[in-house]
Amino acid sequence: MNKIGETINKRKKLKHNIRLMNEESRVNRELDLDIPEGLYDKCPSCGKLTNMKLNIENDYICKSCGYHFRMRAIDRIKYILDEDSFVEKGIGYITLNPLYIEGYEAKINKYKKETSLDEAYIYGFGQIYGEPCIIGVMDSHFMMGSMGSVVGEKVAKTFEYAIYKKLPVIIFTASGGARMQEGIFSLMQMAKTSAAVAKHSSLGYLYVSVLTDPTTGGVTASFASLGDIIIAEPNALIGFAGPRVIEQTINQKLPEGFQRSEFLMEKGFIDQVINRKDLKKTLHQILHMHRRTI
Amino acid sequence: MNKIGETINKRKKLKHNIRLMNEESRVNRELDLDIPEGLYDKCPSCGKLTNMKLNIENDYICKSCGYHFRMRAIDRIKYILDEDSFVEKGIGYITLNPLYIEGYEAKINKYKKETSLDEAYIYGFGQIYGEPCIIGVMDSHFMMGSMGSVVGEKVAKTFEYAIYKKLPVIIFTASGGARMQEGIFSLMQMAKTSAAVAKHSSLGYLYVSVLTDPTTGGVTASFASLGDIIIAEPNALIGFAGPRVIEQTINQKLPEGFQRSEFLMEKGFIDQVINRKDLKKTLHQILHMHRRTI
Amino acid sequence: MNILDKERKLLVLEKNISDLGDTESVSKLVEEVEKFKKNEMTKLSSWDKVLLARHPKRPKSRDFIDYFSKDFIEFHGDRLFGDDKSIIGGIGSIDGIVFTIIAQQKGSTVEENIKRNFGMPHPEGYRKALRLMKQAEKFNRPILTLIDTPGAYPGLGAEERGQGFAIAENLKEMSRLTVPVIAVVIGEGGSGGALALGFANEVLMLENAIYSILSPEGYASIVWKDSTKAPLAAEQMKITAADLKDFDIIDEIIQEPFGGAHFNPELTFEKTKKCIMDTYYHLNGLARTELQYQRNAKVRNFGFLQRFNYDNLKEVRK
Amino acid sequence: MNILDKERKLLVLEKNISDLGDTESVSKLVEEVEKFKKNEMTKLSSWDKVLLARHPKRPKSRDFIDYFSKDFIEFHGDRLFGDDKSIIGGIGSIDGIVFTIIAQQKGSTVEENIKRNFGMPHPEGYRKALRLMKQAEKFNRPILTLIDTPGAYPGLGAEERGQGFAIAENLKEMSRLTVPVIAVVIGEGGSGGALALGFANEVLMLENAIYSILSPEGYASIVWKDSTKAPLAAEQMKITAADLKDFDIIDEIIQEPFGGAHFNPELTFEKTKKCIMDTYYHLNGLARTELQYQRNAKVRNFGFLQRFNYDNLKEVRK
Ligand SMILES: [Zn+2]
Ligand SMILES: [Zn+2]
């Protein structure tokens, strides 16, 4: 987790407009976060010390170098969806410890506290300039956005809910891959989520996958890669194997820009690399142009 | 046309066992061809003078170097099908001259005489070790096996007849490409034949494409490439653009083996390169293993 | 004097007039220009049309798309190997109808031409096109293709990655589509490389576009071993919109303005758009299976041949 | 002492016996060997199974295929980019039923291992597999996959050509198949690279095979920064057939002969074949849509989690 993640974690009082309510939820989570005025942090890309508040006002993009900071799921939802339009679904899942790994529960609890999330993924209904969709967002600040049973289950539920609602799906991915601590169960989430995409797709519904930094491992090798339309944020790390594993395997340094959004677009895997500032507009346009089929 | 083609042309008395008859045909074509004992010809590959009769007895393969001589359509049929099993279909097409190219009719007539064929392609019903199929064979000795309206029509008919008979199709390709002299009509045969393959395929029938030397141009870019299973004879030239065109474009010599069967298998486009001696056995096996679906 | 020479002469004449300003000789010159326009620049040989189809100033696919659709979103890549920039694909709405648009794109400048590989696609271009056609099929979206290519690229990489296989696959899958497919030949329709986007329900063609099995130069050098005889070849090969309409290979000719599309691009775009939308509404009445049937039935009839009838009845199919 | 040490000791013991010939001390030694076999070589730790699963002498996919099917025909290539030799595909009849067989293939020799890339596929391998699965779907032919890979290859070319995209595509399309799919983990089932052939109606697993999200070495080096703790990792990760059967992730365990599959390959093949055919006949009763439904329903239930119920009723799904 980078510095900015930790920093954003500390916001506690900032007013937010996201309703995290749905008919089945009696759980109300504390999501008021704030950043103190005058807090400075180092940009991971250009290294400049910058005022966080200013960066956030600049759409979470570094004013100096254009670096796209890793966004928290709740910030993403707030940023992309129309005000007050989000209705969270699939609340209440509890991560278990199938392999009895020492300290796994404690780790999960620590992340829960830090992020005010149940797990590394949230989803629900939302609107983008009035266009309805089912939106899912991974959060790399929750255990590197790794996919365990709960994340896999919620992703599958996302598509099932979209089928029920006859709506398109938009998912923002951000993941270090499968969650090691849940062993084979994590692996099987790849099949489960891919099957959910297939079912939604077979019924003729749209799925837009938005890859953000980083999207690797089992998530890349399942639902992240299966969008009808695949968009990436600039310079996001996207790959199946991690860069370090590849370097160890081939015993040499990776070339500049390898496994980055622009590289993957050149290689034919990304429809468009889109600056965060244009993202909402583009997603709205795509939803709008697919409205006939909903 | 290579020497062996001309030589084989001269065979006039050799008994053959192919029935070129079908219920609609009152046309009986002279197919008795012979090679005089003791005729020698130069192998295009190793350059050795060899006794043609011996080569023919050796499955049309050069005894010295294993070169697969280009086979005439009627020899191929005789070689691959069970004795007396062939029933030709689609007889009686007449090649026209839509662009009024001077000398085109005369050229066609010359090839007709030389090859005893109507056009560069024949098809019909046949059996391979008892397994029924619809078989089509191109003949590169007829105007380089180029595809004009008649060839395209007959290929389409091949698949339509196979649908009617609920049988698999095997086609041996050998073509220099589209027939220039028929202009845009030739080009359209690519779409026509591909559509015929699609229809046969959509109904669940098997199509085996056997690529022989040479298979290039419009034939490669249509039905030749669309087999469920694609087999090639060793060292056959297979490509879309001709080697000379490529050399002119890139302004350098092509590497050894480029566009040859083995190269294409390495590149993922050919299921197997099969020696002519094993071809009948393999085709039988494939037909047999697909019998349930017929 | 071919059309390019005539075009140059016209520009000189018009320049002379404007140099003169408002004098008495102007009216005489204007008259001369009008005569030249009427008598010389409207008589186009096949070769003239080849020259116009390849005219550097002729509007390119992207120009058409930008005029047709204000909200075009480009989709890149074949999801397999690369993003071929000689083929543009994406979705855009034309008069309120969302189309999947797939087009061969030549460059307007040297740099763009290099980037676009002079409009000559590699297999990954055709595979991108196929991916987007299947996407259109999924969303029941009509497909518009714009054809403008000298042909599929004849290079090492293209052959290694299965140029012929990619084109064949497109033809096979296009025969299976159940959405309206409208193709417009806007410039050069070169060989199988053009047909791979041209297996459509209706094929429209600009007046001065060409569509042929190989280039006139290629034809001339094969037949006469002399590529300078290309003008003769162009005549013989029957490659103009008028020829192909006679053959029933194409369905509609879109008139170009005086002097060719580049003399008035806007008018060309507008006429093309109108023709596309008329065609769309014509096809839109058909059910999905009918659309597939119509497209295949049309292609099934292409061919110029005769079959010998044993009762001496001759049947000619064109 | 791990299983490989024990195996070596057993060979020494047996050699001693045969060196002695027919003497009195033989019977004592034989007794000792039997005791060793019974007491030592049947108690296998998870790490022992990892060693057996990777045993150089362990039979490879091709050995299984050759035993199962006398008429196996291999089909090469993905029709897009290349022919990946770490995946073998083709058709062959087993007890009279024609299967599409797709298998990861490690080498038995150094040369073969290099050719087969140690059983680690590139995207073109997965795309070949997908092509053949779609072919099986067309011909309504059951699919048998044999899984034996350390994982998908993590290299430059593999990433450039979309390793993750290829695996994801396979998973998506396998969920759509309507023919029986039977997967057998015969050796190493490494990560997503294994799962890409493993989304099946029934998953069988050899007794000493392993199936895991990453290698024990990888796990150990991430968790304890010490890859020599792999044996401990193997225990903790629950990667043996018995563990996975407990989790209901796999359906059947195929018993291996004493000492592992390589002690009696024929017997291993025969048992595996029997289990495959039993499974096939079990699945064969299902209609095509039922086969698809069953495969997806199974995967849908994979996961170990709990959902908070607001009426204080807890529901556990495993
Ligand atoms: Zn910065
Ligand atoms: Zn020879």
Side-chain angles (χ1 to χ4, degrees), chain B residues 23-42:
Chain B
E23 63 283 5
E24 70 179 339
S25 152
R26 295 184 211 152
V27 185
N28 242 307
R29 289 176 298 173
E30 181 55 60
L31 278 171
D32 285 354
L33 307 168
D34 192 21
I35 287 188
E37 290 268 359
L39 179 70
Y40 281 76
D41 203 356
K42 218 172 166 179

Side-chain angles (χ1 to χ4, degrees), chain B:
Chain B
M1 192 166 54
N2 60 25
K3 281 277 173 58
I4 179 71
E6 288 164 16
T7 315
I8 296 176
N9 268 339
K10 290 167 199 149
R11 297 178 300 152
K12 284 290 174 199
K13 283 169 214 154
L14 187 63
K15 267 273 160 284
H16 69 94
N17 302 310
I18 306 164
R19 284 183 8 226
L20 284 164
M21 300 279 296
N22 70 354
E23 63 283 5
E24 70 179 339
S25 152
R26 295 184 211 152
V27 185
N28 242 307
R29 289 176 298 173
E30 181 55 60
L31 278 171
D32 285 354
L33 307 168
D34 192 21
I35 287 188
E37 290 268 359
L39 179 70
Y40 281 76
D41 203 356
K42 218 172 166 179
C43 166
S45 172
C46 66
K48 262 198 185 154
L49 273 178
T50 38
N51 184 303
M52 281 314 303
K53 201 136 196 173
L54 285 179
N55 284 334
I56 290 169
E57 276 159 17
N58 189 40
D59 306 297
Y60 301 87
I61 298 172
C62 172
K63 284 240 179 199
S64 316
C65 73
Y67 172 78
H68 284 50
F69 289 106
R70 294 182 181 181
M71 282 176 83
R72 308 196 61 79
I74 49 168
D75 294 329
R76 177 71 72 175
I77 282 169
K78 195 169 132 187
Y79 181 73
I80 287 289
L81 293 183
D82 298 343
E83 221 176 303
D84 281 336
S85 77
F86 185 63
V87 181
E88 189 181 358
K89 299 293 297 180
I91 291 171
Y93 284 101
I94 296 163
T95 304
L96 299 179
N97 189 357
L99 309 183
Y100 305 101
I101 305 282
E102 219 183 282
Y104 181 47
E105 286 100 339
K107 222 170 189 172
I108 292 289
N109 285 332
K110 177 179 138 264
Y111 282 115
K112 279 188 177 182
K113 233 179 242 163
E114 275 180 16
T115 62
S116 297
L117 296 173
D118 278 358
E119 254 290 357
Y121 177 79
I122 59 175
Y123 77 97
F125 171 90
Q127 283 174 307
I128 297 178
Y129 295 131
E131 292 289 342
C133 65
I134 305 303
I135 189 167
V137 185
M138 304 190 82
D139 196 323
S140 66
H141 303 89
F142 194 109
M143 235 175 153
M144 269 311 288
S146 57
M147 173 161 68
S149 293
V150 171
V151 170
E153 180 73 18
K154 289 179 82 175
V155 170
K157 286 267 186 204
T158 305
F159 288 93
E160 287 161 358
Y161 185 57
I163 291 169
Y164 173 69
K165 287 284 190 183
K166 305 188 186 216
L167 284 176
V169 169
I170 297 175
I171 293 185
F172 289 82
T173 61
S175 174
R179 188 166 299 164
M180 214 174 60
Q181 291 86 347
E182 295 183 26
I184 200 78
F185 292 104
S186 281
L187 186 65
M188 293 301 145
Q189 305 312 309
M190 287 170 60
K192 184 157 102 184
T193 56
S194 300
V197 174
K199 198 173 174 194
H200 183 256
S201 178
S202 292
L203 293 165
Y205 300 119
L206 172 73
Y207 164 34
V208 182
S209 174
V210 186
L211 313 182
T212 77
D213 187 54
T215 297
T216 59
V219 167
T220 300
S222 61
F223 64 95
S225 301
L226 295 173
D228 295 299
I229 299 165
I230 301 180
I231 288 168
E233 288 198 326
N235 203 40
L237 176 73
I238 300 161
F240 178 60
R244 226 171 26 148
V245 175
I246 302 174
E247 286 184 345
Q248 280 166 11
T249 306
I250 63 171
N251 215 357
Q252 63 185 73
K253 277 267 164 216
L254 293 178
E256 187 68 28
F258 188 75
Q259 291 187 314
R260 295 289 165 177
S261 312
E262 296 73 15
F263 173 86
L264 261 91
M265 180 162 131
E266 199 60 36
K267 295 295 174 191
F269 296 100
I270 309 280
D271 281 301
Q272 274 204 26
V273 176
I274 292 181
N275 191 292
R276 195 170 283 166
K277 285 177 188 281
D278 301 321
L279 204 47
K280 183 169 180 176
K281 202 181 92 248
T282 306
L283 288 172
H284 166 259
Q285 196 183 340
I286 290 171
L287 289 177
H288 184 75
M289 291 172 87
H290 286 81
R291 201 157 45 163
R292 287 161 54 102
T293 65
I294 291 164

Side-chain angles (χ1 to χ4, degrees), chain A residues 24 91-94 96 101 149 153 160 178 180 186 189 192 195 198 202 221-222 239-241 258-259 269, chain D residues 156 159-162 164 168 175-176 192 195 213 219 223 236 247 296 299-300 302 304-308 310 317:
Chain A
E24 68 180 342
I91 291 172
Y93 284 100
I94 296 164
L96 299 180
I101 305 281
S149 293
E153 180 73 18
E160 288 161 357
M180 217 174 58
S186 281
Q189 305 312 310
K192 184 157 102 183
S202 292
S222 61
F240 177 60
F258 188 75
Q259 292 187 311
F269 295 100
Chain D
L156 286 181
E159 289 292 319
E160 274 177 18
R161 297 195 292 280
S175 95
R176 288 176 165 161
L195 181 63
I213 192 157
Y219 186 96
V223 175
Q236 193 165 102
F247 284 154
N296 283 290
V299 159
R300 184 65 191 82
F302 286 153
F304 195 96
L305 53 88
Q306 199 174 353
R307 189 159 186 188
F308 184 72
Y310 309 104
R317 179 127 64 75

Side-chain angles (χ1 to χ4, degrees), chain A residues 42-48 50 55 61-67 69:
Chain A
K42 217 171 164 181
C43 166
S45 173
C46 67
K48 262 198 185 155
T50 38
N55 285 332
I61 297 172
C62 172
K63 284 240 178 198
S64 315
C65 73
Y67 172 78
F69 290 104

Side-chain angles (χ1 to χ4, degrees), chain A residues 84-96:
Chain A
D84 280 335
S85 76
F86 185 62
V87 181
E88 191 182 356
K89 299 293 296 180
I91 291 172
Y93 284 100
I94 296 164
T95 304
L96 299 180

